[in-house]
Amino acid sequence: MNLKHSTEQLIALKHDTKISRRAFTKSLIAVPFAVRAQQNPLRARVKIDSERTIGDIDPKIYGNFIEHLGRCIDGGVFEEESPLSDSNGFRRDVMEAAKKLNVTNLRWPGGNFVSNYHWKDGIGARDQRPRRLEMAWGTVESNRFGTHEFLQYAEMMKTEPYVCVNLGTGTWTEAQQWVEYVNSAQDTAMTRLRKQNGRQDPWKVTYWGLGNEMDGPWQMGHRSAEDYGKFALEAAKLMKWTDPNIKLIAAGSSHFATGIDWIGWNRTVLEHLKRHIDYLAIHLYVGNRDNDYYEFLTSSLDLDDRIKTTEGIINAAMSGEPRNRRIHIAWDEWNVWYRARGQQQRGRRILEERYNLEDALVVATFLNSFVNHAHIIKMANMAQLVNVIAPIFTNEKGLFLQTIYYPLQLFANNTKGTALELFVESPKYESKRFGLVPYLDASAAYDNGTLVLNVVNRHRDQAIETEFEIQDKQFAGPVEVAEVNGPDIKAENDFGKTVVQTVTRSTKGDGRKLRHRFSPHSYTMLKAKLV
Ligand code: AHR
């Protein structure tokens, strides 16, 4: 056997009559040596120790986001004229699919939209609400879905609401009065207005965002870090004096590719706000623009680096502050987003990304990364819930679940408790940006005798035989196996066609050991009882 040829290439040459010898030789040049030199079958080893902990997994890492953008709210969660909607105008099918994602918190109303959103436009009789020009995404906002609709939706979803205030064109008073309207039990003009509009008791919303992506020139009311820090500080004071129980999330910078000094922004903003905020918000969207599968599958390494850098900036800002005063990261927008992006982001059918299997694998690696940084990532919000870069996709007759729905569903419903630090010895490939990258990407959670392992096999063509060994416990009973996979990395779901989904079965551990063969291009969750 010519060791310079990877096994998958030899198999392809033998079986695929369509592959020409020239294409085959060309493909050899493109395949990195580390890949070519792999032995077949590929093997990996993972060591688990239930006492080697990273931190508590905050359930809020399974948050989501709905913005007044394209068909996310209007035509997604809310479609008043649809026979599929309830008497509030909420799409029943969307809510049912969303509930299965165990969305632990829901961010609203934007995103870029919020920076010119005046919340008083969205209360009172629906038919009398003003129609406003919407400049973030180039539409007209009907304001028919406002504060009451959102908070009722959150109640019905049994999710924690997270409201972001307008620190673009909005004022301090507007932000303060929104907290008062929503949370106050005092008898004031604002709370009388709330009651007049049908809500007696305050909703007691805990999570409030201080604006969105204020570092970006694309933001309405964009400011410098210094100006944002000063402005947000006054808003924060008024909001916390209105309700001391609220938690505040500052707009951090994450615009790594745009030439914005994101590290400087975060440092400055923290200097102004460190005594008032609870989270720093960061965003990341990734894509496979060069159609390079292996490179795309390294996206979560970028996320890891960003988390570490941001944590360092927070630690530096907090040195000298009381130890019990903590600021965590809220990764409150993340996803794959690159196809439905660019010049045409205006109007109604925008950001309607269709996802394939490789996107679902990247989503699983992002979730692994959040779990592996459970000590500092205490909130994360996939952007967004429906139609707009989303796991749920509707038309007027129904919906289908995109590929990315499945890993999110498995993580959100199973990966809880304490994150464990794993020892992973896996075959690797050479990537352009990150050097050697392991084919296996993993995370683990331990909760009251239940171990959950999440493993992505990045290898496009080969399975990986893996041996798990627990240091301090034994496997007991059957092990649940849930695999998300599909016929090929570009496979997509559609209306009436589900080719990428979760397939479950069961296996068994043997004392301290468990063996599993991870299929090529797959994400697998293993759930076991330990004694
Ligand atoms: O989620 C889509 C958009 O991406 C949001 O409105 C904005 O915050 C981000 O740039």
Side-chain angles (χ1 to χ4, degrees):
M1 175 178 159
N2 181 352
L3 271 182
K4 282 196 180 140
H5 298 175
S6 70
T7 315
E8 63 268 32
Q9 285 169 326
L10 288 172
I11 293 167
L13 192 65
K14 197 167 156 213
H15 297 294
D16 189 350
T17 46
K18 279 179 264 162
I19 189 169
S20 72
R21 202 152 274 281
R22 210 164 131 238
F24 172 69
T25 315
K26 212 170 141 207
S27 78
L28 284 182
I29 301 161
V31 175
F33 179 74
V35 177
R36 281 185 254 145
Q38 304 291 346
Q39 298 277 309
N40 195 20
L42 296 178
R43 291 189 192 282
R45 225 160 47 90
V46 178
K47 286 203 272 181
I48 306 155
D49 182 339
S50 74
E51 292 181 330
R52 260 192 111 79
T53 60
I54 298 170
D56 290 343
I57 300 168
D58 194 313
K60 287 193 296 302
I61 66 169
Y62 306 120
N64 217 297
F65 171 37
I66 54 171
E67 176 169 3
H68 295 250
L69 192 185
R71 296 189 307 126
C72 179
I73 292 181
D74 190 6
V77 303
F78 185 65
E79 203 167 8
E80 289 178 281
E81 302 304 317
S82 170
L84 299 174
S85 296
D86 66 12
S87 57
N88 304 298
F90 300 152
R91 277 277 296 250
R92 275 185 259 103
D93 54 344
V94 172
M95 186 173 298
E96 199 185 311
K99 275 185 177 167
K100 291 187 185 143
L101 282 178
N102 186 27
V103 177
T104 52
N105 74 95
L106 193 60
R107 181 173 181 249
W108 172 82
N112 296 344
F113 168 82
V114 76
S115 293
N116 192 37
Y117 179 61
H118 300 284
W119 67 269
K120 285 182 188 159
D121 288 346
I123 55 171
R126 269 188 205 165
D127 288 338
Q128 281 160 34
R129 296 184 195 168
R131 291 174 62 78
R132 302 267 187 219
L133 259 196
E134 201 295 287
M135 291 171 288
W137 305 106
T139 51
V140 170
E141 172 55 44
S142 73
N143 281 305
R144 294 182 70 84
F145 187 98
T147 302
H148 290 251
E149 286 77 14
F150 170 65
L151 293 172
Q152 186 181 356
Y153 194 77
E155 272 177 357
M156 289 171 73
M157 283 266 296
K158 297 192 173 34
T159 190
E160 182 99 50
Y162 161 15
V163 177
C164 186
V165 304
N166 172 4
L167 290 194
T169 63
T171 64
W172 295 323
T173 304
E174 215 177 341
Q176 178 278 321
Q177 288 188 339
W178 206 359
V179 179
E180 184 181 334
Y181 184 89
V182 168
N183 281 4
S184 180
Q186 310 268 22
D187 181 22
T188 69
M190 280 302 113
T191 61
R192 283 185 187 191
L193 188 58
R194 182 188 73 218
K195 288 175 191 166
Q196 219 175 294
N197 289 332
R199 175 79 187 196
Q200 287 301 309
D201 297 331
W203 284 279
K204 293 279 167 208
V205 171
T206 305
Y207 298 93
W208 292 83
L210 295 167
N212 174 71
E213 292 186 355
M214 298 308 301
D215 59 320
W218 56 88
Q219 204 66 216
M220 295 175 283
H222 154 67
R223 284 153 219 252
S224 67
E226 189 72 27
D227 289 348
Y228 169 72
K230 286 184 185 156
F231 189 69
L233 174 62
E234 297 311 310
K237 279 160 48 184
L238 296 182
M239 291 164 78
K240 279 220 169 166
W241 288 341
T242 304
D243 182 353
N245 296 319
I246 62 173
K247 304 260 180 238
L248 293 175
I249 300 123
S253 175
S254 29
H255 291 96
F256 316 119
T258 50
I260 292 169
D261 171 18
W262 69 282
I263 294 180
W265 171 280
N266 290 335
R267 268 200 204 117
T268 306
V269 163
L270 282 167
E271 272 320 307
H272 286 281
L273 291 169
K274 64 185 173 191
R275 304 217 169 103
H276 295 81
I277 59 165
D278 304 280
Y279 302 85
L280 185 69
I282 306 287
H283 299 170
L284 181 62
Y285 294 103
V286 297
N288 187 6
R289 286 197 181 76
D290 309 328
N291 195 19
D292 184 336
Y293 167 81
Y294 279 112
E295 218 44 40
F296 181 41
L297 264 283
T298 65
S299 299
S300 66
L301 278 79
D302 200 10
L303 178 68
D304 292 343
D305 287 354
R306 308 291 171 195
I307 295 172
K308 286 190 191 98
T309 308
T310 308
E311 185 181 359
I313 299 168
I314 293 173
N315 287 343
M318 297 308 280
S319 68
E321 293 297 310
R323 287 296 296 271
N324 58 2
R325 167 107 197 97
R326 301 293 305 275
I327 293 177
H328 293 117
I329 299 174
W331 209 285
D332 65 9
E333 284 186 34
W334 67 272
N335 208 342
V336 173
W337 173 26
Y338 66 105
R339 304 169 184 95
R341 198 167 184 146
Q343 297 312 307
Q344 297 311 316
Q345 292 187 80
R346 318 292 295 166
R348 184 161 158 82
R349 290 198 81 102
I350 52 170
L351 279 68
E352 298 205 351
E353 194 95 5
R354 292 295 192 99
Y355 291 107
N356 61 24
L357 175 59
E358 66 184 19
D359 301 324
L361 299 182
V362 167
V363 160
T365 59
F366 266 52
L367 290 161
N368 271 344
S369 178
F370 294 143
V371 173
N372 285 327
H373 296 91
H375 65 292
I376 185 78
I377 302 283
K378 295 293 183 186
M379 184 190 283
N381 301 69
M382 176 185 262
Q384 301 189 4
L385 187 63
V386 49
N387 293 331
V388 168
I389 44 175
I392 302 168
F393 200 93
T394 69
N395 63 16
E396 62 291 346
K397 295 195 194 107
L399 60 78
F400 77 91
L401 305 178
Q402 298 233 49
T403 61
I404 60 169
Y405 183 94
Y406 296 96
L408 186 62
Q409 182 185 27
L410 283 170
F411 268 88
N413 285 290
N414 298 288
T415 307
K416 20 184 143 167
T418 308
L420 301 183
E421 194 180 332
L422 295 172
F423 166 85
V424 181
E425 190 181 80
S426 157
K428 296 186 167 84
Y429 66 95
E430 183 80 39
S431 76
K432 289 180 202 132
R433 285 188 307 162
F434 297 99
L436 285 175
V437 173
Y439 282 112
L440 288 194
D441 181 67
S443 72
Y446 185 62
D447 187 28
N448 218 2
T450 301
L451 173 73
V452 170
L453 294 158
N454 295 294
V455 182
V456 174
N457 178 7
R458 293 180 167 113
H459 206 298
R460 194 180 44 205
D461 310 293
Q462 282 187 264
I464 303 188
E465 296 278 352
T466 306
E467 182 182 89
F468 294 89
E469 189 183 335
I470 310 189
Q471 306 303 296
D472 58 339
K473 296 198 183 292
Q474 308 247 332
F475 286 98
V479 177
E480 196 183 315
V481 181
E483 181 181 315
V484 179
N485 208 338
D488 63 84
I489 54 169
K490 301 293 182 192
E492 287 178 19
N493 296 341
D494 205 339
F495 292 101
K497 180 186 114 185
T498 307
V499 289
V500 175
Q501 60 187 315
T502 305
V503 174
T504 56
R505 63 189 176 84
S506 144
T507 183
K508 266 184 73 156
D510 178 12
R512 294 198 296 119
K513 296 208 171 164
L514 169 70
R515 287 180 186 82
H516 188 80
R517 186 185 172 95
F518 291 102
S519 312
H521 53 63
S522 64
Y523 154 61
T524 308
M525 183 202 75
L526 300 166
K527 190 172 181 180
K529 281 265 171 246
L530 302 184
V531 282

